[in-house]
Amino acid sequence: MAMLPLDRLRDAGKKRVPTYTKGRLRLGVIQVLVITLFLTLFGRLWYLQVFSGDEYTAKAADQSVRDIVVQPARGLIVDDMGRPLVANRTSWVVTVDRTLLQKLEGRTQKRLLQRIADSVDKPYESIRAHIRICGEPKSQAGVCWNGSPYQPVPVAKDIPQQTALMIMEQNEDFPAVIVEAQSVRAYPAPYGINAAHLLGYLSPITESEMERAEEDGDESVHGASVVGRAGLEKEYDEYLRGFPGYKQVAVDSMGRVLGDSGEIEGQVGDTLVTSIDSRVQAVVEQQLAQTIKTARATVDTVTGRPYVADSGAAVVMEADTGRIVAMASQPTYEPDVWVGGIGPDELERLYSEEAGTPLLSRATQGQFAPGSTWKPFMTAGALRDGTYTQSSYLDCSSGFQVGNRVFKNYESGAYGSIGFQKALEVSCNTFFYRIGYNFWQKYGSDETDVDAKDPLVEIAKTFGFGSETGIDLPGEASGRIADRKWKLAYYESMKDYYCEVGEEPGDDFLHRFAREFCIEGYAYRAGDAVNFSIGQGDTLVTPLQLARGYAAIANGGTLYEPRVGKAIVSPEGEVIEEIEPSVQAELDIPGGDLDFIDEALQNVSRTGTMAWRLVDFPLDAVTLRAKTGSAEVYGKQSTSWVASYTKDYVVVMMVSQGGTGSGTSGPAIRTIYETLYGIDGDKVRSEDSAIPGVVPPTRLPVFAEDGSILPPSTKPGGDEE
Amino acid sequence: MSIINPPRARSPRPAYSPPSIAQSSLARVPQLDWILLLATAALLTLGTMLVWSATAERDVLTGGDSEAFLRRHLVNIAIGIVLAVLVAATDHRWVRILAPVVYAASLIGLVLVLVMGSTINGSRSWIIIAGMSIQPAEFAKLAVVVAMALVVAERTESSWKQREVGDLDVLGMLGIAALPAAMILLQPDLGTMLVLLATVFGVIAASGAPRRWLLGLGVAGVGAAAAAVRFGLLEDYQIDRFMAFTNPALDPRGAGYNTEQARIAIGNGGVFGQGLFDGSQTQSGFVPEQQTDFIFTVAGEELGLLGAGVVIALLGVLLWRALTIASQADDLFGRLAAAGIACWIGFQSFQNIGMCLGIMPVTGVPLPLVSHGGSAIFATMMAVGLLQTIHLRSQRSMGLGVAHSRRDRSRF
């Protein structure tokens, strides 16, 4: 007590002080106390406002001004004629601010959620489940909110605009509810195309990606960004995503927006022009699907069961540029399953073996034995080595013995002594076996010499097999050339397993194979060389690799990196970047040899294995080269292949477990060419061709000032705008 | 009147000051304490502006009428002025007669609150009568002050300078305070309770009661608080709420949030403030209860160090006048009543502003004459009126007995 010393002072005088005086003195003490307390207040006020004012000003600004990300629309993806393949649409999303919700009374909360549920026509429990934070009791994985608890939680996506407007208008009935318009991907699907694997999809940015972006100072993404995960969306993400804008808005304590206080404008994403042509793509997709359907209804004469036809792919490439005109893969999925977030069930289906892993793009990621479509490359290899010439003749017997095993011709046919062209035409296996065996004997009969020369392996590498094509699509598979080095590496990695299996008792194929492998699995034997020569064994290619290999034959020896993208165009219509065809290699193959092969492949269409599928096809007007293939796969039905080309296009189709090349894929190949050239029966009507002018346009679509996109001008002369 | 020995009017330390030369004017007509009046008027005006600013944008509170609170506040002030004038004009004797009535009325009010009160913000402090919410505890503070002063004054009326204020007087005063205090504690309204304790202590101190009483009361108070915490009379959350001003994390959604937001708003004001109606925190409603308990944060943010400083200074002036009036009062009743009012307003102001500044616990007490709220304004205005009555009376008696005053000077 501050007054005690005074009392004591007074008492020290030993004089009896009356109450009256004592009281007055104490009033003085009270006055001193009041002054002290009020000075304390002043001091504290000064401390808050002046000494640490900046800190609180920052805090004040932080909580009363909120940066709202304004994500501008993502760029379009259009085809060669400017038809949008991927566009945007507005999706209305109902979000609930958990922080505000929790400020409401329990009963009011429940009523509010019920009201939301009624409005968006969903059960109450579903809304409730969305709001629970993952890890909370009763939270359901996949439904619960795994974002920040301070971020509004989306509870209903893609609601009708009318509902959205109704909720916004009745704002006071929906406290803590925010209705947002989001721009999401839309797939206009011109001509009903799917193109899921080409286009790819988006998904929300992950935490680690966000951290990396922050480290790199990349401001084009933010916490709520969606980024390309596959296909063109991923490859051209940095162009398509645009640049986010920021709106600074003053908000009140309830998070309600009071007014704008500034805006940094965002940048709409650039448009990607592709070389895909929707009309061709639509036909290719439809033909692939039809081919698979037909195959599944056809009984395989070898196994006595209908073809499984589990998957397939088709590629249409421009022969002179390596541009992709169409590319399809089966099984596929609807690209819009990713829009607004994919459900766990759906995601599982996309990855599931049972559904045929629809996510896998067979055209670029599927790897298959090429079978007889391999032979033209082997021909080029045999001729380049000089051991054989265009006039070499070899016996096309019905079988060819290597060691104690007889390698047979297809259906054991025999054509006697024939040249390369005939061998390609009739797809004679034993002809190529001899070549493979000869080279093996000549250069590499030492089975352990991994550096032994092999002209056939070399030519395969020359044509770009065994390595990625460099297409502008992510996740491409490299294929595999099963040469000596690969065999040794495979042996090293597998020998422990097979040696162990070999020690088990048993005399079936697996155990016998295991014992043999354990001892000499590294050896590149004559059988391996023979298998390699006809595209069998462990060699694998992607349909895309095969297509660009044939394109190189077609265009006189240029190996392109395939391209889907053609140009990047700004939202205002200015061309930012033209994506030129990219030459990977000029092949070191004599032009004469390519012409020699070309002639042979023409004959395949006229009189060879493909001829029966091209009856009445105007081959004189549209010179079609083709090579069929039926690749044997151990334990499975054969893979159907047709690789074909004209002077303009390469068309490759593949159906896994689909049967013979021409038998299964032949009709589809024919229909695709009919579409490309406007062929009706045996007549060519160029005006009916899928792409005006038959060949893909070199010019870009016209981006009009009003935002519309028109087909490229076909007026002759002048490349100027 | 038996009081013949009034203290000097002008000097706060009369014992050491030379005789005033203003003796000749002592006979003039008693005058109101104009400084007190001006300070009161200035606080009311400032308060009005602050209340208006705090509520203009709060559509949820006002229902879209930005002047709703302004009008209500002005009406309250008008009623308050009428009450103050009535009290000031009331004869001294009538005040003494009416005091027990006021005391009894506020006791009844407190009982009614407990029986049929509305609970707002966790404490049952309001009764709704004819659409008006009344907070009897506000009146109780005034009633307790007046009643305590009266008890002592009555017992010592005829001989108060000769007679010590004894144990019985103190017990009487404590008895007077105990009834309403118990009922306020039951509400529970901790803030008002603290203010009441400080006031009671001040009145007892000013009465000149024996030192042992003051010591004992102090020790008892500390002991009671310690016991309440120690023996679990208070729930943990109540202690957390009380202590949240030291660490907002103790009660992050309640008192801690208030504390933090209040500091941010005040800190955001800087020296010159954001300007009336322009405080981003105030206008956006970040500080809860800003027109009542946290009104000082509006001054802090919008008027800055200067404006908020003026508010503190004006309250200081008001207290200086109240204490001066107390020391000049020529009767025990006047002195104790004025001293009680000073302690009440002083501690409540400190408690309120201290809470806004984060140096006192968050409790729901209004800032006298500034906060919005009818009961508080009425009670405080009546108190100001009472101060004026006491002031007028001591002036009158001064005019009667100059000689005594001179004679008395030797006592100090």
Side-chain angles (χ1 to χ4, degrees):
Chain A
M1 296 293 118
M3 57 194 73
L4 290 179
L6 277 167
D7 279 348
R8 212 172 290 133
L9 251 177
R10 199 185 46 225
D11 285 353
K14 295 285 176 202
K15 190 183 166 197
R16 181 147 180 87
V17 182
T19 308
Y20 173 83
T21 318
K22 227 192 287 183
R24 280 196 55 162
L25 267 169
R26 283 181 187 165
L27 279 180
V29 172
I30 291 175
Q31 198 147 3
V32 171
L33 252 175
V34 167
I35 290 168
T36 313
L37 290 181
F38 276 43
L39 282 178
T40 310
L41 293 181
F42 265 122
R44 176 68 181 175
L45 190 63
W46 177 87
Y47 174 83
L48 282 185
Q49 296 195 307
V50 181
F51 185 77
S52 50
D54 289 347
E55 176 195 333
Y56 287 110
T57 307
K59 277 191 189 179
D62 198 38
Q63 68 176 3
S64 62
V65 175
R66 196 165 291 174
D67 272 345
I68 293 185
V69 179
V70 183
Q71 178 61 56
R74 201 172 158 87
L76 305 178
I77 299 177
V78 302
D79 78 352
D80 60 341
M81 295 291 150
R83 291 174 282 234
L85 306 177
V86 184
N88 302 296
R89 66 180 170 84
T90 302
S91 162
W92 295 95
V93 179
V94 180
T95 62
V96 173
D97 190 322
R98 282 178 48 97
T99 324
L100 298 184
L101 184 72
Q102 278 162 355
K103 284 184 182 168
L104 302 175
E105 249 179 81
R107 222 167 22 148
T108 321
Q109 277 187 29
K110 201 171 170 185
R111 265 215 314 273
L112 175 66
L113 295 184
Q114 184 65 55
R115 200 174 297 143
I116 297 172
D118 292 346
S119 310
V120 302
D121 212 12
K122 272 188 169 186
Y124 167 82
E125 244 326 299
S126 145
I127 302 285
R128 189 81 201 82
H130 274 95
I131 289 176
R132 287 200 185 96
I133 291 181
C134 295
E136 266 184 11
K138 288 205 277 181
S139 65
Q140 286 167 258
V143 183
C144 59
W145 175 241
N146 59 9
S148 153
Y150 304 105
Q151 221 177 313
V153 184
V155 295
K157 286 177 176 162
D158 240 340
I159 59 164
Q161 180 167 7
Q162 259 189 320
T163 312
L165 293 178
M166 186 272 287
I167 294 177
M168 283 195 277
E169 274 164 14
Q170 300 176 7
N171 204 345
E172 64 280 0
D173 287 342
F174 291 95
V177 175
I178 305 154
V179 179
E180 286 172 347
Q182 287 183 347
S183 171
V184 296
R185 279 317 216 185
Y187 300 90
Y191 300 101
I193 65 158
N194 167 273
H197 302 99
L198 266 174
L199 303 175
Y201 53 89
L202 307 169
S203 73
I205 192 166
T206 64
E207 218 166 288
S208 59
E209 284 170 330
M210 194 61 217
E211 273 168 24
R212 211 174 316 133
E214 272 165 18
E215 273 170 29
D216 300 347
D218 177 5
E219 289 177 347
S220 68
V221 289
H222 49 86
S225 279
V226 284
V227 293
R229 287 283 173 236
L232 294 170
E233 294 273 29
K234 180 173 182 181
E235 187 74 25
Y236 292 99
D237 196 33
E238 56 174 319
Y239 296 104
L240 292 169
R241 68 165 69 134
F243 206 85
Y246 291 91
K247 200 157 80 178
Q248 293 182 315
V249 292
V251 292
D252 68 4
S253 56
M254 304 291 274
R256 283 174 306 215
V257 175
L258 300 174
D260 293 0
S261 54
E263 182 163 0
I264 304 163
E265 202 126 345
Q267 169 79 37
V268 175
D270 299 324
T271 298
L272 172 68
V273 180
T274 66
S275 54
I276 301 294
D277 186 87
S278 302
R279 277 183 73 178
V280 179
Q281 175 76 17
V283 169
V284 168
E285 283 175 9
Q286 186 260 324
Q287 285 302 312
L288 178 64
Q290 182 58 46
T291 300
I292 287 174
K293 204 173 149 196
T294 310
R296 286 177 183 168
T298 308
V299 175
D300 174 9
T301 51
V302 180
T303 58
R305 287 180 283 113
Y307 288 113
V308 177
D310 55 76
S311 61
V315 177
V316 178
M317 182 186 278
E318 202 188 352
D320 286 336
T321 58
R323 292 197 193 280
I324 304 294
V325 178
M327 191 154 83
S329 173
Q330 279 284 352
T332 185
Y333 60 93
E334 285 304 317
D336 61 9
V337 298
W338 295 92
V339 173
I342 192 166
D345 295 348
E346 189 63 34
L347 191 63
E348 200 178 314
R349 195 190 77 82
L350 290 187
Y351 280 112
S352 81
E353 297 272 345
E354 209 176 317
T357 51
L359 212 49
L360 189 74
S361 167
R362 299 312 202 270
T364 59
Q365 298 170 317
Q367 307 182 97
F368 308 88
S372 299
T373 57
W374 195 239
K375 286 171 185 163
F377 306 113
M378 297 300 102
T379 304
L383 295 176
R384 186 169 71 166
D385 181 65
T387 309
Y388 299 93
T389 65
Q390 291 181 7
S391 49
S392 295
Y393 273 69
L394 288 166
D395 186 17
C396 179
S397 55
S398 70
F400 178 71
Q401 180 145 5
V402 177
N404 55 4
R405 189 177 158 196
V406 178
F407 290 80
K408 287 198 167 171
N409 239 352
Y410 179 69
E411 290 177 353
S412 300
Y415 292 89
S417 185
I418 56 172
F420 276 99
Q421 290 192 326
K422 182 74 179 171
L424 286 172
E425 211 176 298
V426 300
S427 205
C428 178
N429 285 351
T430 50
F431 183 96
F432 286 94
Y433 286 150
R434 285 174 210 282
I435 296 171
Y437 186 72
N438 271 358
F439 280 135
W440 181 80
Q441 273 195 322
K442 184 173 174 186
Y443 298 116
S445 55
D446 178 359
E447 294 168 349
T448 58
D449 180 9
V450 292
D451 295 320
K453 184 178 173 183
D454 192 333
L456 299 184
V457 165
E458 275 165 30
I459 197 73
K461 285 182 179 161
T462 305
F463 274 96
F465 294 102
S467 56
E468 288 157 15
T469 64
I471 191 178
D472 50 351
L473 288 176
E476 189 194 354
S478 65
R480 178 168 80 203
I481 294 176
D483 58 3
R484 289 165 189 255
K485 288 198 176 89
W486 174 81
K487 191 142 197 208
L488 181 62
Y490 182 74
Y491 172 75
E492 298 290 345
S493 69
M494 295 302 288
K495 79 175 170 206
D496 289 350
Y497 169 74
Y498 277 118
C499 290
E500 205 170 298
V501 172
E503 280 167 23
E504 292 169 8
D507 203 33
D508 55 359
F509 176 79
L510 175 68
H511 287 89
R512 275 185 284 133
F513 175 82
R515 273 169 221 137
E516 200 181 320
F517 185 93
C518 180
I519 297 160
E520 46 181 8
Y522 57 87
Y524 192 79
R525 309 171 77 173
D528 295 317
V530 163
N531 261 336
F532 184 84
S533 69
I534 61 153
Q536 290 290 160
D538 294 309
T539 298
L540 300 174
V541 302
T542 68
L544 181 69
Q545 282 177 327
L546 201 63
R548 76 158 179 166
Y550 274 86
I553 298 174
N555 63 32
T558 307
L559 193 67
Y560 284 99
E561 280 187 5
R563 285 285 174 270
V564 181
K566 209 169 171 187
I568 306 287
V569 180
S570 78
E572 294 77 32
E574 280 168 50
V575 176
I576 292 173
E577 191 185 325
E578 292 220 38
I579 302 163
E580 299 293 343
S582 169
V583 175
Q584 197 175 61
E586 293 291 349
L587 305 188
D588 171 26
I589 295 166
D593 288 354
L594 291 177
D595 290 344
F596 178 73
I597 295 167
D598 185 86
E599 259 172 55
L601 297 182
Q602 288 187 30
N603 287 338
V604 174
S605 304
R606 290 182 197 278
T607 56
T609 50
M610 187 65 185
W612 69 290
R613 285 300 191 191
L614 295 170
V615 177
D616 289 340
F617 188 88
L619 286 172
D620 292 329
V622 179
T623 311
L624 192 60
R625 294 81 164 171
K627 184 72 200 80
T628 59
S630 315
E632 309 288 333
V633 182
Y634 174 72
K636 285 186 174 172
Q637 292 163 318
S638 63
T639 305
S640 163
W641 283 103
V642 174
S644 64
Y645 65 92
T646 63
K647 65 180 173 42
D648 308 308
Y649 295 105
V650 178
V651 180
V652 168
M653 183 179 270
M654 180 280 309
V655 179
S656 161
Q657 303 205 64
T660 63
S662 55
T664 302
S665 301
I669 294 283
R670 179 174 185 160
T671 310
I672 291 169
Y673 280 107
E674 285 172 351
T675 309
L676 287 169
Y677 287 94
I679 294 166
D680 179 17
D682 58 356
K683 303 230 167 26
V684 181
R685 300 181 209 278
S686 297
E687 67 274 15
D688 289 345
S689 63
I691 300 174
V694 179
V695 291
T698 49
R699 292 192 217 173
L700 299 175
V702 177
F703 291 82
E705 274 182 26
D706 63 355
S708 58
I709 308 171
L710 307 168
S713 93
T714 49
K715 263 184 255 151
D719 268 3
E720 71 274 5
E721 291 288 273
Chain B
M1 275 296 157
S2 58
I3 297 159
I4 47 165
N5 195 6
R8 291 255 304 118
R10 297 283 146 79
S11 167
R13 280 158 49 199
Y16 308 109
S17 50
S20 169
I21 52 157
Q23 310 273 315
S24 58
S25 67
L26 281 175
R28 72 185 171 191
V29 179
Q31 284 212 328
L32 287 173
D33 189 326
W34 285 103
I35 300 176
L36 173 62
L37 206 63
L38 282 175
T40 307
L43 281 170
L44 286 173
T45 311
L46 262 173
T48 307
M49 300 310 291
L50 297 177
V51 166
W52 191 14
S53 175
T55 55
E57 296 288 331
R58 302 280 176 94
D59 290 354
V60 179
L61 289 173
T62 61
D65 178 2
S66 65
E67 286 162 17
F69 272 75
L70 173 66
R71 275 198 301 276
R72 222 183 300 166
H73 196 72
L74 288 174
V75 168
N76 284 342
I77 289 176
I79 297 173
I81 290 172
V82 170
L83 288 172
V85 169
L86 281 177
V87 173
T90 308
D91 188 81
H92 195 251
R93 275 160 298 185
W94 274 101
V95 171
R96 290 188 172 203
I97 293 166
L98 285 175
V101 180
V102 171
Y103 178 77
S106 58
L107 274 188
I108 292 168
L110 286 171
V111 171
L112 283 179
V113 160
L114 289 176
V115 174
M116 49 170 274
S118 336
T119 304
I120 301 178
N121 292 339
S123 73
R124 181 181 287 232
S125 308
W126 278 264
I127 42 172
I128 314 273
I129 296 175
M132 278 184 69
S133 50
I134 296 172
Q135 211 177 350
E138 291 298 327
F139 297 100
K141 286 180 269 193
L142 178 64
V144 165
V145 167
V146 175
M148 281 171 75
L150 195 59
V151 163
V152 181
E154 284 296 336
R155 278 180 46 80
T156 56
E157 187 69 337
S158 50
S159 57
W160 70 293
K161 293 219 179 65
Q162 286 72 46
R163 199 180 158 280
E164 293 288 316
V165 170
D167 296 346
L168 267 180
D169 301 297
V170 177
L171 281 174
M173 287 193 278
L174 286 177
I176 290 285
L179 266 178
M183 281 186 273
I184 289 169
L185 206 56
L186 283 176
Q187 288 182 358
D189 184 347
L190 197 60
T192 307
M193 188 63 204
L194 285 175
V195 172
L196 196 64
L197 285 179
T199 308
V200 168
F201 194 86
V203 173
I204 292 174
S207 74
R211 217 183 345 164
R212 61 177 184 280
W213 272 106
L214 299 178
L215 249 173
L217 283 174
V219 170
V222 173
V229 173
R230 185 69 207 263
F231 300 110
L233 290 179
L234 291 170
E235 301 285 344
D236 279 350
Y237 82 90
Q238 287 174 313
I239 298 168
D240 283 347
R241 182 180 298 172
F242 192 76
M243 295 308 293
F245 75 98
T246 59
N247 174 13
L250 287 175
D251 185 13
R253 294 199 180 279
Y257 174 81
N258 295 9
T259 305
E260 183 65 13
Q261 289 299 335
R263 280 186 222 182
I264 291 175
I266 291 173
N268 192 34
V271 178
F272 301 103
Q274 305 279 318
L276 204 59
F277 297 100
D278 278 333
S280 63
Q281 306 303 293
T282 299
Q283 300 307 322
S284 307
F286 282 97
V287 189
E289 305 294 329
Q290 208 175 9
Q291 76 281 12
T292 55
D293 298 346
F294 284 93
I295 191 80
F296 187 76
T297 62
V298 185
E301 184 181 28
E302 302 196 335
L303 306 178
L305 182 66
L306 295 181
V310 164
V311 172
I312 298 176
L314 285 172
L315 285 166
V317 168
L318 191 142
L319 292 176
W320 162 55
R321 290 319 302 161
L323 286 170
T324 307
I325 288 169
S327 65
Q328 286 171 348
D330 62 346
D331 62 339
L332 191 54
F333 173 80
R335 190 216 291 180
L336 292 192
I341 290 168
C343 288
W344 156 28
I345 294 180
F347 187 79
Q348 188 165 320
S349 303
F350 178 75
Q351 162 63 32
N352 177 285
I353 297 175
M355 152 183 105
C356 291
L357 294 172
I359 53 172
M360 286 294 278
V362 175
T363 54
V365 296
L367 187 57
L369 298 174
V370 180
S371 286
H372 181 74
S375 303
I377 286 186
F378 302 159
T380 326
M381 287 300 282
M382 285 161 78
V384 171
L386 190 58
L387 285 176
Q388 294 286 11
T389 317
I390 298 163
H391 175 71
L392 290 174
R393 180 172 161 71
S394 36
Q395 277 189 326
R396 265 187 218 107
S397 49
M398 235 162 13
L400 293 173
V402 177
H404 293 295
S405 113
R406 227 177 236 161
R407 192 187 66 198
D408 279 347
R409 223 171 281 139
S410 60
R411 290 182 177 211
F412 296 96

